[in-house]
Amino acid sequence: MSTNLSKSKVAVIGLGSMGLGMATSLLRAGFDVAGCDVSAEAVEHFGCAGGRAVRSPAEAARDAEVVVSVVVNAAQTEAVLFGENGAAETMAPGSVFVSAATMDPEIARRLGKGLEATGRLYLDAPISGGAVKAAAGQLTILASGSSAAFAKARPALDAMAGTLYELGDSAGIGAAFKMINQLLAGVHIAAASEAITFAARQGLDLRKVYEVITASAGNSWMFENRVPHVLDGDYTPRSAVEIFVKDLGIVQDMARGARYPVPLAAAALQMFLAAAGSGFGRQDDSAVARIYAQLAGVELPSGK
């Protein structure tokens, strides 16, 4: 570990399951990491893990070379940057803001231009991989921004990512790539939920269905990853239903603006909306299967 790296300061704003994993990966790589979150419990937990627990984005960003924002959406990202006690108040000239939230590419472009006008750098860097890969420093990061932004952020990105895609020289490109991923991910979760519940309606052994499909052409990463949650009746959120209400909603807005049809994404969105409206919004996104089960009048496995 180099002396310079061990003294480099990074801020992580948002210490949920993803942000905490990213922050601990940075700590493990030797960075001096300040972290903040709206949850006092999350901040305390981070402090116990060896990080510097602070109370606001402004405090976290002070003296940091890299500020990593791991919040839910564009509105929260804008508040982290430009709201009261926002990071832009204290970020040093030439430091870089790494935005990990999934958002409309147009908003990513606007935020990037706004921050760069102040002499700071902006990297549009949505993430994929889930909490387990975040904690292991093995995320996939879909990034776009200036060469200066990449150069400043690279040591921190290398600590957090197993795969880093450099997708363009301006903000918004990374966000657009992420929305293509989210379109597919949402459709595949809905399809997996539909299929496993249809199997239940046919009276099939669901674990045998899982075994057969994961060895067959109908398999998908989402079927293989999410159906075990259904089989165990465990809807503890790894990624919540509400995430896809948001993300497929963004896909719909983008498609409407482009006058482009996305009927499969639209149908999947309706199932996520039904799940959220039925009280499952904070459950794992595989809880879409529970809506199919209600419609079909079938029993899915129940948890322990």
Side-chain angles (χ1 to χ4, degrees):
M1 191 72 64
S2 72
T3 302
N4 288 339
L5 180 59
S6 66
K7 293 181 178 179
S8 294
K9 292 186 177 181
V10 178
V12 177
I13 300 168
L15 297 170
S17 59
M18 297 293 286
L20 180 62
M22 294 161 75
T24 54
S25 292
L26 289 161
L27 285 171
R28 191 167 56 245
F31 290 92
D32 177 358
V33 186
C36 71
D37 193 277
V38 294
S39 165
E41 183 180 355
V43 174
E44 181 180 359
H45 182 63
F46 178 62
C48 292
R52 289 189 292 114
V54 300
R55 291 182 289 183
S56 70
E59 187 177 354
R62 186 172 286 110
D63 299 325
E65 296 178 42
V66 181
V67 178
V68 183
S69 174
V70 199
V71 294
V72 172
N73 55 30
Q76 290 185 5
T77 303
E78 187 162 17
V80 161
L81 261 179
F82 301 118
E84 185 178 358
N85 290 317
E89 292 181 12
T90 56
M91 286 179 66
S95 60
V96 60
F97 184 85
V98 178
S99 173
T102 300
M103 67 180 72
D104 187 307
E106 288 295 334
I107 299 177
R109 280 188 276 273
R110 175 172 61 79
L111 292 176
K113 289 178 181 177
L115 185 64
E116 288 167 355
T118 71
R120 285 88 165 196
L121 302 168
Y122 185 98
L123 198 67
D124 176 19
I127 55 180
S128 182
V132 172
K133 288 193 173 183
Q138 290 295 312
L139 287 170
T140 296
I141 300 182
L142 314 176
S144 65
S146 68
S147 58
F150 272 109
K152 177 66 74 171
R154 191 172 305 281
L157 295 173
D158 287 345
M160 298 183 290
T163 304
L164 170 64
Y165 287 104
E166 299 184 30
L167 299 170
D169 60 4
S170 61
I173 300 171
F177 270 86
K178 180 62 185 293
M179 294 320 304
I180 302 303
N181 181 79
Q182 294 307 89
L183 185 161
L184 289 165
V187 168
H188 289 171
I189 291 168
S193 298
E194 183 173 299
I196 199 65
T197 312
F198 187 43
R201 180 64 180 267
Q202 301 304 307
L204 301 179
D205 179 332
L206 297 187
R207 292 194 180 273
K208 183 59 69 173
V209 169
Y210 180 76
E211 177 185 340
V212 169
I213 296 303
T214 54
S216 302
N219 191 33
S220 69
W221 191 93
M222 284 300 186
F223 186 95
E224 192 163 343
N225 184 266
R226 297 306 204 265
V227 168
H229 306 170
V230 179
L231 300 182
D232 293 339
D234 180 6
Y235 299 100
T236 303
R238 289 80 164 177
S239 172
V241 165
E242 289 286 3
I243 295 295
F244 279 96
V245 170
K246 172 182 71 75
D247 290 356
L248 289 177
I250 294 172
V251 169
Q252 292 295 299
D253 291 343
M254 291 170 63
R256 183 166 53 249
R259 298 300 186 264
Y260 182 82
V262 285
L264 298 182
L269 174 58
Q270 294 306 307
M271 297 309 297
F272 284 102
L273 285 168
S278 297
F280 305 148
R282 295 186 180 276
Q283 293 188 11
D284 191 77
D285 49 34
S286 60
V288 169
R290 301 183 70 183
I291 297 301
Y292 281 104
Q294 289 178 359
L295 293 171
V298 300
E299 293 288 332
L300 292 173
S302 59
K304 297 176 182 179

